[in-house]
Structure formats: C-alpha cells, structure tokens
Amino acid sequence: MAALPLTHPSAGGDRGRAADRPSLAGVAPCSAARPGCGGAGLVVRAHETPPGRRGVRRRPGQLRSRATAYPAARRAVAMAGRVLDRPEWTRAGFQAVQAMLRRPADEWGINDHAQCHGWSGMLYLLELFELDHPEAGLRAATDEVAERPLNGFSPESAFGYRYYQPAADLHLDMPGFLDGAAGIALALHAYATDSAAAGWDTLLLLN
C-alpha cells in the first residue's frame, strides 16, 4: 500500500497556516492485498498464460501500478488541494506524476490494459492531468501510453482484450468496467474524442 506524505520537496505554500487546515498523511484508495480491484464473478472464460509470461515479477525499483495507488493517489492529492485551497498539494500531486513520466513506461509495473491496474487506467489519468495542466506538454506521454491498449486489441478474444490475473497466472476474458473491455473502451473513447472528465469517472473518485 502506497502512502504519499505531504512533505514533497516541491511543495510550497503558506506553512504558517498549516494548523488551521486539514492534514493529509497518505492516500491509499485500493488495498495492495487485493489481487484485483474488480470482481472475479465477471470472468467469462480463462486462458492459460502464454509462454514467457509465467512468473512475472517487478524488477527492483519498479513503480506499482494504479491498483496500489500511485498515480490515482496523486490525482486525489491534486483534487484535495484545489478543494481545500492548498496549492502546494495540487503542485505536489502533479509533480509526482511528472517524476513518474521521467521513468521508462516499462518500469511502471503495468501488466494488462484494464482500467483498474492497467494501461487504459493510466491513459485516462494522464488525460485528466493534461486537462488540468495544458501548459505542461503531456500530450506526447499520453499518446505513447495510448499505444499500449490500442496495440493490445485482440480480435480473437471474446471482448477484444484479456485481463492478466497474476494471482492465478491466467488471462481472462472480462466484459466489465474495472478489469474488462468496458473500462478500456471508455478510456479510449475519452482519448479519441478529447472528452476526459465526462462524468463516469466520478465512480472512481477521479473527478
């Protein structure tokens, strides 16, 4: 479980009024103990893991994916900063994402295309940050991340994508929102139409 203490070196603001304002010691919207944020009841068909995918491990220093709260927590901190008039929180949340983008995408620890853990969730988060910070030049990074789910489309699968379940070491056909094709489609639609912050993301507390 990831926590983000609000002592980010980039955080500024009026520290003299800190006692009058709420304190946010850490954010962890999804438990790291859960192998998947979605429900296993949505599984339609399971497939054996292709050769070469068994025993997938994070390399040392590799970032955890959204399900362990890295970029989604930064989004939560940035939103909290706007709501509570703490610009240093908003700045810290965004700068943490910028620091993540300076690392190769292959080191982000993402193994599937789903909304919860995967590339479509990361894509949508980047779209939201780009919407809030149009001056930051995030378009190239957003386009690069979009290539992952676009290139991952599998026409022979039941719903176009298969979700990798590391706990069972299986690829699963999932139709749903968090782990399946519906969530991927929403993220790609938002990307293709520049329509991030369309309303459905409030379900994930991202807006």
Side-chain angles (χ1 to χ4, degrees):
M1 184 167 61
L4 178 63
L6 291 182
T7 55
H8 192 282
S10 64
D14 183 0
R15 298 185 183 275
R17 291 187 293 165
D20 300 327
R21 289 175 166 180
S23 174
L24 188 63
V27 181
C30 184
S31 170
R34 298 172 65 185
C37 287
L42 292 179
V43 176
V44 174
R45 186 185 308 141
H47 302 265
E48 291 188 4
T49 304
R53 289 301 301 274
R54 296 188 182 277
V56 175
R57 300 177 183 273
R58 280 194 308 120
R59 294 186 294 275
Q62 207 172 20
L63 294 177
R64 293 183 182 273
S65 63
R66 174 182 169 180
T68 51
Y70 185 82
R74 275 55 181 175
R75 173 70 180 172
V77 169
M79 290 194 301
R82 288 200 303 271
V83 171
L84 299 174
D85 189 26
R86 294 296 296 265
E88 70 272 23
W89 292 8
T90 301
R91 188 162 53 248
F94 179 58
Q95 290 181 347
V97 170
Q98 289 180 305
M100 180 195 72
L101 292 175
R102 288 193 287 270
R103 304 184 64 165
D106 288 338
E107 294 183 4
W108 295 355
I110 299 177
N111 296 317
D112 62 70
H113 302 293
Q115 184 73 231
C116 183
H117 293 72
W119 289 112
S120 66
M122 181 66 75
L123 171 62
Y124 193 72
L125 282 163
L126 290 179
E127 291 179 86
L128 291 174
F129 276 109
E130 185 179 4
L131 187 66
D132 289 346
H133 302 275
E135 77 291 347
L138 297 181
R139 174 50 57 173
T142 304
D143 289 344
E144 180 181 352
V145 169
E147 289 295 322
R148 303 292 183 123
L150 287 171
N151 292 336
F153 179 74
S154 176
E156 72 275 8
S157 64
F159 306 108
Y161 293 89
R162 286 179 180 142
Y163 168 70
Y164 177 61
Q165 171 50 271
D169 198 22
L170 291 172
H171 277 74
L172 308 171
D173 285 321
M174 306 282 278
F177 174 55
L178 281 181
D179 293 334
I184 297 171
L186 284 169
L188 288 174
H189 178 265
Y191 171 74
T193 60
D194 287 324
S195 59
W200 59 263
D201 50 3
T202 56
L203 177 64
L204 302 174
L205 304 181
L206 295 177
N207 237 336

